[in-house]
């Protein structure tokens, strides 16, 4: 039985094939390194990208810029298509560099820098919203803002009516009592003020600063009980002067009232019905005569005042004085406009 002999050689492969395999490998490695230097390939076994630094080193000459620690590959030209391009599209072969997908850095300073870059990239990725133009106001609102000509005319009428003299006109009448030696000094004991329409603005009993000697009840209507709760003279005078300030004051023999008040009102704002020739002429009295309020009221208003033993009423006298003045108001004011009195 013949024996079979096998000659097996477990040594190295033939040198030619080994040389050829080594040459191919070296050529592959050389070509890959060349592509990496030119930026067409990423480095092998590259660690995960980190957050970009705020101040990155500028790229060296001949090197491609880095994005998030990776080499940026230049974009290849693309064919145009009919679909519109959006800002979210990226060129082919380019690595998407999104910092907020990378793991957070370990250091605090890198974390702050990553947050700042993340916010900037996120805001830049948002679509821009155009501001809408403000809508014009409705016609109804414009009408309410701008008054119509009719409304403006009515407002002018009201403003002119408010500026008329009647709103700034009052009539005054005072009642006096006797003080001083034998009661010959007239002191203020009651004052009444009415407006242009005759409404009472002020009516108070006033306590004189001196002792009352004669109440003169027959003419004044003042009695002792009226002085129990009367207003002190200084307080009453202050209240009265505030009402008269800046107003046209009408009165009959008004100089006596001002004397009792210890006050002087401007002559240009004073109307004394006892010295108005037009009023006497209208009542068929002598123009230069000083007529009493009682006679003028009876003649022109057909009314009796200051009758009976109860004395005069200063409210009634002030209302009668205002009514007498209104009878000749227009003519008298025109006369005063042409011949203004001197203060």
């Amino acid at each position: 039985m013949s024996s079979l002999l096998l000659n097996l050689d477990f040594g190295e492969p033939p040198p030619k094939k080994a040389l050829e395999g080594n040459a191919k490998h070296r050529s592959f490695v050389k070509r890959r390194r060349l592509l990496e230097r030119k930026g067409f390939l990423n480095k092998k076994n590259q660690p995960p990208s980190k957050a970009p630094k705020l101040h990155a080193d500028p790229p060296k000459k001949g090197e491609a810029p880095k994005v998030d620690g990776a080499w940026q590959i230049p974009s290849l030209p693309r064919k145009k298509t009919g679909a519109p391009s959006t800002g979210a599209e990226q060129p082919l072969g380019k690595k998407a560099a999104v910092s907020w997908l990378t793991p957070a850095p370990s250091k605090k300073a890198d974390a702050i820098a990553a947050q700042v870059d993340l916010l900037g990239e996120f805001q830049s990725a948002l679509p821009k919203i155009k501001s809408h133009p403000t809508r014009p106001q409705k016609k109804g609102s414009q009408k309410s803002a701008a008054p119509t000509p009719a409304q403006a005319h009515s407002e002018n009428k009201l403003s002119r009516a408010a500026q008329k003299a009647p709103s700034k006109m009052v009539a005054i009448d005072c009642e006096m009592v006797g003080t001083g030696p034998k009661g010959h000094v007239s002191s203020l004991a009651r004052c009444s003020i009415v407006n242009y329409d005759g409404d009472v603005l002020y009516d108070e009993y006033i306590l004189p600063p001196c002792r009352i000697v004669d109440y003169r009840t027959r003419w004044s209507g003042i009695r002792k009980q009226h002085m129990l709760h009367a207003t002190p003279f200084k307080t009453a005078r202050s209240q009265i002067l505030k009402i008269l300030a800046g107003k046209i004051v009408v009165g009959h023999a008004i100089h006596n009232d001002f004397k009792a008040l210890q006050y002087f009102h401007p002559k240009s704002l004073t109307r004394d019905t006892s010295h108005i020739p037009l009023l006497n002429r209208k009542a068929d009295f002598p123009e230069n005569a000083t007529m009493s309020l009682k006679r003028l009221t009876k003649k022109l208003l057909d009314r009796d005042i200051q009758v009976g033993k109860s004395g005069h009423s200063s409210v009634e006298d002030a209302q009668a004085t205002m009514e007498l003045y209104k009878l000749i108001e227009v003519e008298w004011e025109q006369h005063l406009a042409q011949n203004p009195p001197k203060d």
Side-chain angles (χ1 to χ4, degrees):
M1 187 174 181
S2 60
S3 59
L4 180 65
L5 297 175
L6 295 176
N7 188 10
L8 298 176
D9 188 5
F10 294 96
E12 296 180 357
K16 189 175 181 180
K17 291 183 179 179
L19 290 174
E20 289 177 359
N22 292 337
K24 287 182 179 180
H25 180 71
R26 285 195 300 270
S27 176
F28 172 77
V29 172
K30 186 177 180 180
R31 192 180 298 109
R32 181 179 179 86
R33 288 176 180 174
L34 178 63
L35 291 175
E36 286 178 354
R37 283 198 303 270
K38 290 185 178 181
F40 290 98
L41 291 176
N42 294 333
K43 286 186 177 182
K44 195 174 182 181
N45 299 328
Q46 182 180 359
S49 61
K50 294 182 179 181
K53 295 182 181 181
L54 290 177
H55 302 286
D57 296 335
K60 295 181 180 179
K61 189 175 182 180
E63 292 182 357
K66 294 181 181 180
V67 179
D68 294 341
W71 291 94
Q72 183 179 6
I73 301 173
S75 60
L76 298 177
R78 296 181 61 184
K79 292 183 180 180
K80 295 183 179 180
T81 58
S85 61
T86 59
E89 294 178 358
Q90 295 181 351
L92 291 174
K94 184 176 179 181
K95 183 180 178 181
V98 183
S99 62
W100 45 275
L101 290 177
T102 60
S106 58
K107 295 183 180 180
K108 291 185 179 180
D110 294 340
I112 295 172
Q115 289 177 5
V116 172
D117 291 347
L118 186 149
L119 180 60
E121 292 182 6
F122 182 75
Q123 289 179 349
S124 62
L126 291 176
K128 295 182 179 180
I129 301 173
K130 295 182 179 180
S131 60
H132 297 283
T134 56
R135 294 182 179 178
Q137 294 182 353
K138 294 182 180 180
K139 292 183 179 180
S141 61
Q142 292 179 355
K143 284 184 180 180
S144 62
T148 59
Q151 290 176 349
H153 182 66
S154 62
E155 288 177 1
N156 291 337
K157 269 188 173 182
L158 290 173
S159 62
R160 271 187 250 133
Q163 293 175 357
K164 282 186 178 180
S167 63
K168 294 184 178 182
M169 184 174 292
V170 295
I172 188 172
D173 189 78
C174 298
E175 302 296 340
M176 287 70 160
V177 292
T179 59
K182 298 183 180 180
H184 293 312
V185 179
S186 297
S187 297
L188 184 63
R190 185 182 178 184
C191 180
S192 300
I193 302 174
V194 299
N195 62 10
Y196 187 80
D197 298 322
D199 300 325
V200 178
L201 301 178
Y202 185 88
D203 182 29
E204 294 289 338
Y205 290 100
I206 301 168
L207 181 65
C210 302
R211 186 177 66 89
I212 299 175
V213 178
D214 186 2
Y215 284 94
R216 304 178 183 176
T217 304
R218 182 180 175 184
W219 297 277
S220 66
I222 305 295
R223 290 173 174 80
K224 189 175 183 179
Q225 60 267 24
H226 293 150
M227 295 293 106
L228 297 177
H229 303 287
T231 305
F233 174 77
K234 288 185 178 181
T235 304
R237 182 178 182 274
S238 178
Q239 296 171 351
I240 294 167
L241 297 188
K242 284 181 181 179
I243 298 174
L244 302 184
K247 293 183 176 62
I248 297 176
V249 182
V250 182
H252 194 84
I254 198 171
H255 59 280
N256 293 325
D257 301 323
F258 289 155
K259 185 178 179 181
L261 282 168
Q262 301 177 8
Y263 170 69
F264 294 95
H265 200 67
K267 289 184 179 179
S268 58
L269 299 178
T270 303
R271 306 291 185 264
D272 192 346
T273 55
S274 66
H275 292 88
I276 300 179
L278 290 173
L279 197 60
N280 289 358
R281 190 187 311 160
K282 197 175 187 68
D284 295 329
F285 294 141
E287 292 184 2
N288 297 328
T290 301
M291 305 305 298
S292 66
L293 181 62
K294 183 177 180 178
R295 292 187 65 184
L296 287 171
T297 303
K298 179 62 177 178
K299 181 72 175 180
L300 297 175
L301 302 177
D302 194 20
R303 186 193 308 166
D304 293 324
I305 62 170
Q306 300 177 357
V307 293
K309 296 181 180 180
S310 58
H312 302 176
S313 169
S314 54
V315 173
E316 186 182 48
D317 291 353
Q319 292 172 341
T321 303
M322 181 63 78
E323 290 183 36
L324 289 174
Y325 167 78
K326 288 162 73 173
L327 293 176
I328 43 87
E329 178 182 3
V330 177
E331 296 90 346
W332 183 242
E333 292 300 330
Q334 289 176 355
H335 174 75
L336 291 178
Q338 296 174 0
N339 305 284
K342 295 180 181 180
D343 293 335

